[in-house]
Amino acid sequence: MVTVKCLLVIAAIKGWHLIELDVNNAFLHGKLKDEIYVSLSPGFGEKEDTRSKVDYSLFTRSQGSSFIALLVYVDDILIASNDTATVHPLKVFLDHQFKLKDLGSLKNFLGLEVARSSKGISLSQRKYTLEILSDTGYLGCKPVKTPMEQDVKLSRTDGVPLEDAKVYRRLVGRLLYLTITRLDITFDVHILSQFMDSPRQPHLHAAYQVLQYLKSAPGQGLFFLANSSLNLSAFTDFDWAGCQDTRRSLTGFCIFLGNSLVSWKSKNQAIVSRSPAEAEYRAMAITVCELVWLSSLLSGLQLPPTVVSLYCDSKFAIHIASNLVFHERTKHIEIDCHFVCDKIQYGFLQTFQVSSKNQLADCFTNALGLPLFSIMMSKLSLIEIHAPA
């Protein structure tokens, strides 16, 4: 889904044409009794076609000034190109091979509703959200302003176990797919997904509050500005020992391509961090891994590499990332230190000052149409930071 968002952002900025195709009879109704081996279509094996090394479902072709990108997910195909003349021969070839339905300009892809204007591209899951509210009986509920109370601490041992855990699991599973465009519920759904094995009454009550929050704005989503740069920037933060059961720290990051939000995550760290500085630095390392992957993906979409901006609120983490000085307090995170330091030395990563909190709020306002990014980054307290020389 990050690949889809990046492709839409580039198309919005560069004015590429977006076309959707659908394969007829992708699934046979009969049961297969023999082993089936599938090979790549010969048309994509030619030299002028390039398969992305970081996302095998992405194919690109460049011929002179013409560029075309083809993204495949099972039987759904998305084509982006700056030259419509090159798209028609490709559609004819694919139709000859697979029998396709040409759905025209992109309107809906994998349940994502796409609307385009001269200002940019809007991405939402309004229909999917209304279906969730209708199936759970919350279509007429009273909306609330926040998906989860800020002081709520859910645990595996609090409350009475649910008699039917399937109701909770199905609801959280559907909410997980909704986080593709609703990052304002990502943190809360991440918390709820930790109790899938043995859900309890407080967990279900918290999930229902998320539904009440969705009722307030079911069509909320992302907006990719057409007037924007194509530079990568990222914000990262952590919650030290935030998990009530394991005391693992929570990593959160948001990555922008220009002014458009394309990737975010809220996840527990793999190990227990012994200090806030360690937790912050591990959050930086996880964010840098995502930035490296995104940089490789964008290079295949004809975007030249640029220096990436990374923002965090820990002076200690910034210092050890920019200086090759290690001591006893940092030797247990030395591997992550070397990884981030290498990216800074090679010129891939650079840190900058944050002028004010309003700068971050403006970014989310442009990306989401929200007055402020509320829950996931509500505890983010950005301060003046600068990498030591």
Short mmCIF file of all heavy atoms in Angstrom, two decimals, residues 305-327:
data_model
loop_
_atom_site.label_atom_id
_atom_site.label_comp_id
_atom_site.label_asym_id
_atom_site.label_seq_id
_atom_site.Cartn_x
_atom_site.Cartn_y
_atom_site.Cartn_z
N PRO A 305 17.95 10.54 -6.17
CA PRO A 305 18.12 10.50 -4.71
C PRO A 305 18.42 11.87 -4.14
O PRO A 305 19.14 12.67 -4.74
CB PRO A 305 19.31 9.54 -4.53
CG PRO A 305 20.04 9.59 -5.83
CD PRO A 305 19.00 9.81 -6.89
N THR A 306 17.86 12.15 -3.00
CA THR A 306 18.09 13.42 -2.30
C THR A 306 18.40 13.12 -0.83
O THR A 306 18.15 12.02 -0.33
CB THR A 306 16.86 14.34 -2.39
OG1 THR A 306 15.73 13.66 -1.84
CG2 THR A 306 16.58 14.72 -3.84
N VAL A 307 18.91 14.12 -0.15
CA VAL A 307 19.18 13.98 1.28
C VAL A 307 17.86 13.93 2.04
O VAL A 307 16.96 14.76 1.81
CB VAL A 307 20.05 15.13 1.80
CG1 VAL A 307 20.31 14.99 3.29
CG2 VAL A 307 21.37 15.16 1.05
N VAL A 308 17.72 12.97 2.95
CA VAL A 308 16.48 12.78 3.70
C VAL A 308 16.56 13.53 5.02
O VAL A 308 17.59 13.50 5.71
CB VAL A 308 16.24 11.28 3.95
CG1 VAL A 308 14.96 11.08 4.75
CG2 VAL A 308 16.17 10.52 2.63
N SER A 309 15.48 14.21 5.39
CA SER A 309 15.41 14.93 6.66
C SER A 309 14.71 14.06 7.70
O SER A 309 13.63 13.54 7.45
CB SER A 309 14.64 16.24 6.49
OG SER A 309 15.23 17.04 5.49
N LEU A 310 15.35 13.90 8.85
CA LEU A 310 14.78 13.11 9.94
C LEU A 310 14.69 13.99 11.18
O LEU A 310 15.68 14.58 11.61
CB LEU A 310 15.65 11.88 10.22
CG LEU A 310 15.20 10.99 11.39
CD1 LEU A 310 13.82 10.41 11.13
CD2 LEU A 310 16.21 9.88 11.64
N TYR A 311 13.50 14.02 11.79
CA TYR A 311 13.25 14.85 12.96
C TYR A 311 12.92 13.96 14.16
O TYR A 311 12.12 13.03 14.05
CB TYR A 311 12.08 15.81 12.71
CG TYR A 311 12.28 16.74 11.55
CD1 TYR A 311 11.92 16.37 10.26
CD2 TYR A 311 12.82 18.00 11.75
CE1 TYR A 311 12.10 17.22 9.19
CE2 TYR A 311 13.00 18.88 10.68
CZ TYR A 311 12.64 18.48 9.41
OH TYR A 311 12.82 19.33 8.35
N CYS A 312 13.53 14.26 15.29
CA CYS A 312 13.18 13.61 16.55
C CYS A 312 13.42 14.59 17.68
O CYS A 312 14.00 15.66 17.48
CB CYS A 312 13.97 12.31 16.75
SG CYS A 312 15.64 12.54 17.35
N ASP A 313 12.99 14.25 18.90
CA ASP A 313 13.07 15.19 20.01
C ASP A 313 14.08 14.77 21.06
O ASP A 313 14.01 15.23 22.20
CB ASP A 313 11.69 15.38 20.65
CG ASP A 313 11.14 14.08 21.21
OD1 ASP A 313 11.72 13.02 20.91
OD2 ASP A 313 10.16 14.12 21.96
N SER A 314 15.03 13.89 20.71
CA SER A 314 16.04 13.44 21.66
C SER A 314 17.41 13.96 21.25
O SER A 314 17.95 13.55 20.22
CB SER A 314 16.05 11.91 21.74
OG SER A 314 17.13 11.45 22.53
N LYS A 315 17.99 14.85 22.04
CA LYS A 315 19.33 15.35 21.74
C LYS A 315 20.37 14.25 21.84
O LYS A 315 21.34 14.22 21.08
CB LYS A 315 19.68 16.49 22.71
CG LYS A 315 18.89 17.76 22.50
CD LYS A 315 19.37 18.86 23.43
CE LYS A 315 18.61 20.16 23.17
NZ LYS A 315 19.06 21.25 24.05
N PHE A 316 20.17 13.31 22.77
CA PHE A 316 21.12 12.23 22.93
C PHE A 316 21.14 11.35 21.69
O PHE A 316 22.20 10.97 21.19
CB PHE A 316 20.76 11.40 24.16
CG PHE A 316 21.69 10.25 24.42
CD1 PHE A 316 22.91 10.46 25.04
CD2 PHE A 316 21.35 8.97 24.03
CE1 PHE A 316 23.78 9.40 25.26
CE2 PHE A 316 22.21 7.91 24.25
CZ PHE A 316 23.43 8.13 24.87
N ALA A 317 19.96 11.01 21.17
CA ALA A 317 19.90 10.17 19.98
C ALA A 317 20.51 10.87 18.77
O ALA A 317 21.22 10.25 17.98
CB ALA A 317 18.45 9.78 19.69
N ILE A 318 20.25 12.18 18.64
CA ILE A 318 20.85 12.94 17.55
C ILE A 318 22.37 12.96 17.68
O ILE A 318 23.11 12.82 16.70
CB ILE A 318 20.32 14.39 17.55
CG1 ILE A 318 18.83 14.40 17.17
CG2 ILE A 318 21.12 15.26 16.60
CD1 ILE A 318 18.56 14.08 15.72
N HIS A 319 22.87 13.06 18.91
CA HIS A 319 24.31 13.16 19.13
C HIS A 319 25.02 11.86 18.77
O HIS A 319 26.02 11.86 18.06
CB HIS A 319 24.59 13.52 20.60
CG HIS A 319 26.04 13.69 20.90
ND1 HIS A 319 26.75 14.82 20.55
CD2 HIS A 319 26.93 12.85 21.51
CE1 HIS A 319 28.01 14.68 20.93
NE2 HIS A 319 28.14 13.50 21.52
N ILE A 320 24.51 10.73 19.25
CA ILE A 320 25.19 9.46 18.97
C ILE A 320 25.01 9.06 17.51
O ILE A 320 25.79 8.26 16.98
CB ILE A 320 24.68 8.33 19.89
CG1 ILE A 320 23.19 8.07 19.70
CG2 ILE A 320 25.01 8.64 21.34
CD1 ILE A 320 22.66 6.92 20.53
N ALA A 321 24.00 9.60 16.83
CA ALA A 321 23.83 9.29 15.42
C ALA A 321 24.80 10.06 14.55
O ALA A 321 25.14 9.62 13.45
CB ALA A 321 22.40 9.61 14.98
N SER A 322 25.27 11.20 15.04
CA SER A 322 26.12 12.07 14.24
C SER A 322 27.58 12.02 14.63
O SER A 322 28.42 12.63 13.96
CB SER A 322 25.63 13.53 14.36
OG SER A 322 24.27 13.62 14.01
N ASN A 323 27.91 11.32 15.69
CA ASN A 323 29.29 11.24 16.15
C ASN A 323 29.67 9.79 16.41
O ASN A 323 28.97 9.09 17.15
CB ASN A 323 29.50 12.06 17.45
CG ASN A 323 29.24 13.53 17.22
OD1 ASN A 323 30.14 14.28 16.86
ND2 ASN A 323 28.00 13.95 17.42
N LEU A 324 30.79 9.36 15.82
CA LEU A 324 31.26 7.99 16.00
C LEU A 324 32.00 7.85 17.33
O LEU A 324 33.19 7.54 17.38
CB LEU A 324 32.16 7.60 14.83
CG LEU A 324 31.44 7.43 13.49
CD1 LEU A 324 32.44 7.13 12.39
CD2 LEU A 324 30.40 6.33 13.58
N VAL A 325 31.30 8.09 18.42
CA VAL A 325 31.87 7.95 19.76
C VAL A 325 30.95 7.02 20.54
O VAL A 325 29.78 7.33 20.78
CB VAL A 325 31.98 9.31 20.47
CG1 VAL A 325 32.54 9.12 21.88
CG2 VAL A 325 32.86 10.25 19.68
N PHE A 326 31.47 5.85 20.92
CA PHE A 326 30.69 4.86 21.65
C PHE A 326 31.34 4.59 22.99
O PHE A 326 32.57 4.60 23.12
CB PHE A 326 30.58 3.57 20.84
CG PHE A 326 29.95 3.76 19.50
CD1 PHE A 326 30.72 3.92 18.36
CD2 PHE A 326 28.57 3.80 19.36
CE1 PHE A 326 30.14 4.11 17.13
CE2 PHE A 326 27.98 3.99 18.13
CZ PHE A 326 28.77 4.15 17.01
N HIS A 327 30.53 4.32 23.98
CA HIS A 327 31.05 4.03 25.32
C HIS A 327 30.19 2.96 25.94
O HIS A 327 29.33 2.35 25.29
CB HIS A 327 31.08 5.31 26.18
CG HIS A 327 29.82 6.11 26.12
ND1 HIS A 327 28.68 5.75 26.80
CD2 HIS A 327 29.52 7.23 25.44
CE1 HIS A 327 27.73 6.64 26.57
NE2 HIS A 327 28.20 7.54 25.74
#
